[in-house]
Amino acid sequence: MYILAIESSCDETSMSIIKDGTEEICTVTNTQIDIHKEFGGVVPEVASRSHIENITIVLAELLEKSKMTIDMIDAIGVTYGPGLIGSLMIGLQCAKTISLVTGKPLIPVHHIAGHIYANNLEKRLEFPLIALVVSGGHTDLVYMKEDYSFKRIGSTLDDAVGEAYDKVAKVCGLEYPGGPKVDKLAKEGNDTYDLPYPLDDDSYNFSFSGIKSAVVNIVHNEEQRGKKIRVNDMCKTFQNRVVSVITKKTIRALKEYNCQNLVLAGGVAANSYLREELSRACSKENIKFSYPRIAYCTDNAAMIGAAAYYAYRKGITADLTLNAVAVETLYNE
Ligand code: KG4
Ligand code: ZN
């Protein structure tokens, strides 16, 4: 089964053709990072306009590169949410148009299901598993007993971890998107600042607004005294605290839910220290740990095509009344 997948929930216009949920035939992604950089973050109206300009170009390039035609596609998978409404609508309109013209089924895909299924492009998921979803909009611990079954066991009470990385980066004077830069600079820093361990308790929930504010306060206090912070050390300390709590809670969840498999998902899955620490902890506990290749950690349509296949096998399809949603919960258990 060949699925044409479309992802446009934020600042990437991406399309992909995926065979049977596991094999990537071709992916084309147009990123808007350079456009949004000068504003220090994604500007929703600018993002939707850029999607409009690029979506047909991306589709034409995908068909040319893959040497396939729309006739050879069996279904269309599309991200319907959550994300920026204006951005989602462009991908959705494109998917609905192709479905209307060709009569092929339309499969609605939740963005977070996509992030989790990015792992399926590396190696077939094994169940039961715990998925640690860490992105710019989510920080969730998810239990999956089988394909396309999602039970959330913990979540952030305030900021998502990626959001905290980006904010810390910004206040330290680093360019958007800040997460990768914090990751890089932390490698040259030392853990010297007095930052709290974020929500280091017995729950599976997370909270990053406190540690974020602690960083902001230190930076501002130093500025008032005419001083500058040591950016590398701040990045290292922040990353140490965050990764330490995430790793601890994830391992506890794996044990309590009797899972031998951990998958990492979302933009922050690209973080080198988080990967290292989880790998270390999992090998100690004999847990199989998988993460997507870097290109499939951040938003892309390949992961949407992988998820769409399993959604379709569960009978999930939509008609042309399908709408984009800014906030929507994935969890069906
Ligand atoms: O999944 P994603 O592309 O978009 C959302 O669905 O939110 O995630 C983007 C987030 C941004 O906050 C970005 O700074 C963060 O992922 N990110 C990282 C790294 N690479 C991307 N955060 C920490 N370390 C990284 N290496
Ligand atoms: Zn995402």
Side-chain angles (χ1 to χ4, degrees):
M1 180 179 191
Y2 289 96
I3 293 182
L4 168 67
I6 305 175
E7 154 67 40
S8 70
S9 65
C10 190
D11 58 346
E12 260 92 33
T13 319
S14 182
M15 291 201 201
S16 181
I17 298 171
I18 298 292
K19 186 181 175 192
D20 296 337
T22 51
E23 192 187 326
E24 181 193 21
I25 305 298
C26 186
T27 302
V28 174
T29 302
N30 176 78
T31 176
Q32 306 170 9
I33 285 184
D34 286 340
I35 301 175
H36 298 290
K37 226 177 214 166
E38 62 175 298
F39 304 106
V42 178
V43 182
E45 183 59 26
V46 174
S48 12
R49 282 166 196 266
S50 174
H51 283 304
I52 295 175
E53 283 167 14
N54 286 305
I55 197 134
T56 48
I57 299 171
V58 169
L59 177 59
E61 197 180 325
L62 178 74
L63 294 175
E64 195 192 314
K65 273 197 176 156
S66 63
K67 299 191 171 49
M68 288 182 73
T69 61
I70 292 282
D71 291 345
M72 295 156 86
I73 302 292
D74 297 296
I76 302 110
V78 62
T79 308
Y80 69 97
L84 302 171
I85 278 286
S87 292
L88 286 162
M89 277 169 63
I90 313 304
L92 205 56
Q93 203 58 33
C94 176
K96 287 203 266 188
T97 306
I98 298 171
S99 172
L100 174 68
V101 170
T102 62
K104 296 179 199 255
L106 182 64
I107 310 166
V109 178
H110 192 287
H111 185 74
I112 295 305
H115 273 304
I116 293 173
Y117 273 90
N119 286 283
N120 206 65
L121 294 166
E122 307 299 335
K123 199 169 96 13
R124 181 75 183 97
L125 298 184
E126 287 178 60
F127 300 99
L129 64 78
I130 294 284
L132 170 63
V133 182
V134 279
S135 76
H138 290 77
T139 310
D140 290 341
L141 276 168
V142 182
Y143 170 76
M144 291 178 72
K145 68 172 188 306
E146 60 186 30
D147 270 311
Y148 234 77
S149 148
F150 308 97
K151 178 181 175 162
R152 180 164 61 181
I153 60 171
S155 187
T156 180
L157 304 175
D158 40 59
D159 294 356
V161 62
E163 202 179 343
Y165 262 94
D166 292 341
K167 179 71 195 188
V168 163
K170 199 170 181 178
V171 79
C172 290
L174 307 173
E175 236 178 20
Y176 170 84
K181 292 176 188 88
V182 173
D183 188 7
K184 194 162 163 243
L185 294 183
K187 289 190 174 56
E188 283 135 43
N190 295 307
D191 186 333
T192 55
Y193 281 101
D194 184 20
L195 292 179
Y197 282 86
L199 199 64
D200 189 9
D201 65 3
D202 290 340
S203 77
Y204 291 123
N205 291 326
F206 302 99
S207 166
F208 300 107
S209 74
I211 187 168
K212 179 189 76 180
S213 303
V215 174
V216 173
N217 286 340
I218 293 173
V219 173
H220 289 167
N221 285 342
E222 291 292 80
E223 272 170 6
Q224 273 165 6
R225 289 197 271 150
K227 286 182 168 177
K228 282 207 164 106
I229 55 148
R230 300 174 308 277
V231 175
N232 295 356
D233 292 351
M234 183 57 88
C235 291
K236 176 69 180 166
T237 314
F238 169 77
Q239 181 152 283
N240 270 4
R241 299 292 176 278
V242 165
V243 169
S244 146
V245 173
I246 293 178
T247 304
K248 197 161 125 185
K249 292 195 174 186
T250 304
I251 297 296
R252 184 151 49 77
L254 284 152
K255 285 184 181 164
E256 189 189 322
Y257 284 80
N258 230 339
C259 291
Q260 242 72 70
N261 304 289
L262 171 66
V263 303
L264 186 58
V268 185
N271 187 270
S272 60
Y273 188 59
L274 180 62
R275 288 174 177 225
E276 257 170 57
E277 285 301 288
L278 287 170
S279 296
R280 208 190 324 262
C282 285
S283 68
K284 221 168 112 194
E285 302 291 341
N286 268 329
I287 289 160
K288 287 184 240 166
F289 173 44
S290 89
Y291 45 79
R293 74 196 85 163
I294 297 284
Y296 293 160
C297 288
T298 43
D299 294 347
N300 65 87
M303 66 185 198
I304 301 301
Y309 176 75
Y310 297 94
Y312 188 70
R313 288 193 8 174
K314 280 241 162 158
I316 301 172
T317 56
D319 62 21
L320 298 177
T321 61
L322 178 66
N323 262 331
V325 285
V327 188
E328 147 87 357
T329 163
L330 164 69
Y331 306 101
N332 52 12
E333 264 198 37

